[in-house]
Structures are given as structure tokens and as C-alpha cells.
Amino acid sequence: MKSPAPTPPEDAPDATAANWAVRRDRGLSAAESVEFELWLAANPRHAEAMARATNAWTLLNRIPEATANQVT
């Protein structure tokens, strides 16, 4: 089993939210879902950061594959 990525300091909710956005995209285990919900409920700033991360992840998913694969 792969160990989880280190969690950034609590004063970095955007970095943690970005990590959660990626992890949620690949699918969370039951334990990870609980961990996510606990993190989300721990601070109102977490929900705000998660909204930003989810929006960014959604925008990234809209990039056409051919464009994403281009090497400059």
C-alpha cells in the first residue's frame, strides 16, 4: 500500500485542498473519505480552499488531450 503524501502545514489549506482534489479524482477509500470529511469540517477555510481546488481541477479536465500532450 502506498503511504499518503505528507500534509502541508495547517496554514496552507490551498495546497492541502489541491492534494485532496487529485486524490478524490482517482477515488478515495473509505478511510480516506473519513479523513477528507474531518479535514473539511476542521476549518471553514478548508471548504473555501476545496472549492477553489475543485474549480481548478475542473478547468484542467477541459484541456483537450492533444493540447495537454504538446511539448514546447
Side-chain angles (χ1 to χ4, degrees), residues 46-59:
H46 296 175
E48 297 164 4
M50 197 63 216
R52 287 188 297 274
T54 300
N55 185 52
W57 195 249
T58 300
L59 292 173

Side-chain angles (χ1 to χ4, degrees), residues 21-45:
V22 173
R23 291 171 68 184
R24 289 177 68 206
D25 186 63
R26 67 150 169 81
L28 298 177
S29 68
E32 289 173 316
S33 292
V34 170
E35 183 183 352
F36 170 70
E37 292 298 330
L38 290 172
W39 173 80
L40 198 59
N43 186 322
R45 291 177 58 207

